[in-house]
Amino acid sequence: AEYMGTVNSGICMGIDTARFVAEPVAPEFLCPICTEVLDDPIQTLCEHYFCRSCIITALQHRSQCPIDRRPQLPSDLTPLPRGMRSQYERLLIYCINRERGCDHVLALSALAAHEGSCEFGELKCSYGGCLETVLRKNFDDHRTNCEWRPIQCSFGCGTVCPYRSATSHSSICHLRPVECPNSCGQMIPSNSLTQHLAEVCPRGIVNCRVDGCAFSGERGDENIWNVHNTSEATNHVAILSQELKKLKERGIDQVRFNQEVRESLQSIQRQAVAAHERAERADQTANRSLATAAAAAPAPQRVSQHSLTFTAIAHILCMFFRFHSRHPLVPIAHIIPPLRVALWESELLWFCVFWCCQWRTSLTNVALTERGTASNDG
């Protein structure tokens, strides 16, 4: 009894005996665990009958039959014998929706199919946000009138919102119609109201189309504009004449300006052409000079664009060597920092060094010759 109570305190439950037409139900169709009519019945090795969920839950607590304590595993469970199964499926039972109005009495084998389509069955609304549960026969009406049903904006903006939020959306929709503030009688989409007032509204106040005329009136009042155009015709002609005169003067000034611009462009173009021709002549002269120098030289040498600069540097160094023939190269470079930078950073470094060495050698030879001459004279 203690074991039965432990199992029966779970979620296991068969079919309520009160739902069956023939009461009491035969004992062999009652589950020993939940004491209700068998639901999805199954048989143990020792031929005891239980609800499937009841016996599986019991075997999870203890691997033995709850009736005779014989060893039993879930894998050993088998369906009811054919004869027993046939009697079980012929039991008559009321629909589970009997209390809601369904009076169907049917065999247990047909119960599942009927309850799946019973019009008194309860269904939960499928619209997001709706928590109502309604009878199947009323389900279509509920979906039609549910406050959470999605609807499109009636003004055509394309927004889809729940029916209950349609009013709040309508108050902010940019296509909601609003009455013209000028009382012209038209309903205008809210996002087009500014354009309507500025360009279309017949009650809008506009200025005379003649620039300079101070008159203004309603756009759609033809009588006012006819009277104004008739009475102010002379004034309009005078204003237009002044504007035409200004346009002519502006046109003359524009022509003069355009002529000056063209002349300036032509002058610049002539100067550019002359400068280009001078540059070409200078290049030709330089090329001829280089060709002549190359032909006169004993051996062809590559002339660098910095050759003149560093020839001057070499001459300056030679002058210093004339007065400081006994001093090394580095102190002289320190004495003349700009020449040091040019010397060590130039691509003609070794060219300058070569000429300096040649000059120093020549000075040494001259000094030795003078010394020898003095010795001979002595």
Side-chain angles (χ1 to χ4, degrees):
E2 180 181 357
Y3 177 73
M4 289 289 188
T6 302
V7 176
N8 203 25
S9 62
I11 59 173
C12 305
M13 184 61 66
I15 304 174
D16 188 2
T17 55
R19 292 182 54 192
F20 289 85
V21 177
E23 292 190 46
V25 179
E28 60 269 22
F29 297 122
L30 298 179
C31 175
I33 296 177
C34 66
T35 68
E36 302 287 353
V37 178
L38 296 171
D39 182 17
D40 190 9
I42 203 165
Q43 174 180 259
T44 61
L45 292 175
C46 50
E47 297 184 352
H48 293 121
Y49 309 129
F50 300 91
C51 300
R52 179 183 295 273
S53 59
C54 292
I55 187 58
I56 290 178
T57 303
L59 294 178
Q60 290 175 353
H61 288 80
R62 190 176 301 170
S63 299
Q64 59 185 17
C65 176
I67 303 300
D68 55 15
R69 300 296 191 269
R70 292 184 181 181
Q72 179 71 46
L73 296 176
S75 58
D76 297 330
L77 299 174
T78 58
L80 293 181
R82 182 177 300 177
M84 182 76 173
R85 183 77 183 184
S86 178
Q87 296 178 23
Y88 170 78
E89 291 179 348
R90 288 198 298 269
L91 294 176
L92 297 180
I93 186 172
Y94 294 107
C95 176
I96 194 172
N97 300 315
R98 182 182 182 185
E99 295 181 355
R100 303 189 189 99
C102 182
D103 55 0
H104 278 70
V105 177
L106 55 158
L108 194 59
S109 58
L111 179 64
H114 168 76
E115 291 183 350
S117 60
C118 179
E119 61 180 4
F120 292 95
E122 289 186 332
L123 297 177
K124 185 179 178 180
C125 180
S126 58
Y127 293 136
C130 182
L131 302 178
E132 292 190 30
T133 301
V134 296
L135 297 181
R136 182 178 279 106
K137 65 177 183 177
N138 301 327
F139 189 67
D140 292 340
D141 293 338
H142 171 77
R143 285 175 58 86
T144 303
N145 301 301
C146 180
E147 292 185 351
W148 291 91
R149 68 185 185 275
I151 62 171
Q152 283 194 344
C153 175
S154 59
F155 302 138
C157 73
T159 300
V160 178
C161 60
Y163 174 79
R164 61 182 296 166
S165 304
T167 303
S168 60
H169 169 73
S170 299
S171 63
I172 61 174
C173 179
H174 64 278
L175 294 182
R176 71 187 186 281
V178 295
E179 186 177 359
C180 176
N182 292 333
S183 302
C184 70
Q186 298 185 31
M187 300 296 292
I188 313 299
S190 59
N191 63 340
S192 303
L193 182 59
T194 302
Q195 181 181 2
H196 169 79
L197 294 175
E199 303 176 4
V200 181
C201 181
R203 299 293 298 275
I205 303 300
V206 294
N207 296 326
C208 179
R209 289 178 295 178
V210 178
D211 292 338
C213 181
F215 180 80
S216 61
E218 292 185 359
R219 181 184 285 108
D221 195 339
E222 295 182 0
N223 294 328
I224 292 178
W225 290 109
N226 290 334
V227 172
H228 169 71
N229 292 332
T230 301
S231 61
E232 297 293 330
T234 304
N235 186 29
H236 287 176
V237 171
I239 294 173
L240 293 175
S241 298
Q242 291 292 330
E243 291 295 326
L244 181 60
K245 182 179 179 181
K246 292 178 181 179
L247 288 175
K248 288 182 178 179
E249 294 176 354
R250 191 179 305 166
I252 294 173
D253 294 340
Q254 184 66 35
V255 171
R256 186 181 299 111
F257 174 76
N258 292 340
Q259 181 64 27
E260 292 177 356
V261 170
R262 283 195 294 270
E263 292 177 356
S264 299
L265 292 176
Q266 291 173 0
S267 176
I268 293 172
Q269 185 176 7
R270 289 193 296 271
Q271 295 176 10
V273 170
H276 180 68
E277 292 176 352
R278 288 195 299 271
E280 286 185 347
R281 288 195 297 271
D283 289 341
Q284 293 173 0
T285 302
N287 292 334
R288 286 195 297 270
S289 299
L290 291 175
T292 302
Q301 296 180 358
R302 177 177 176 270
V303 180
S304 172
Q305 61 179 351
H306 300 297
S307 59
L308 297 177
T309 302
F310 286 98
T311 300
I313 294 174
H315 282 296
I316 293 173
L317 291 174
C318 290
M319 291 171 62
F320 274 90
F321 278 117
R322 183 176 300 172
F323 295 100
H324 304 279
S325 60
R326 295 184 180 182
H327 291 271
L329 178 62
V330 174
I332 296 177
H334 280 292
I335 295 172
I336 312 172
L339 292 179
R340 181 189 59 184
V341 173
L343 182 64
W344 293 105
E345 294 184 358
S346 170
E347 63 179 278
L348 297 178
L349 168 64
W350 301 112
F351 175 80
C352 296
V353 172
F354 171 77
W355 279 103
C356 291
C357 293
Q358 290 292 330
W359 187 259
R360 187 174 183 180
T361 302
S362 64
L363 289 179
T364 303
N365 292 334
V366 170
L368 292 174
T369 302
E370 293 178 351
R371 187 179 302 172
T373 303
S375 299
N376 293 330
D377 293 341

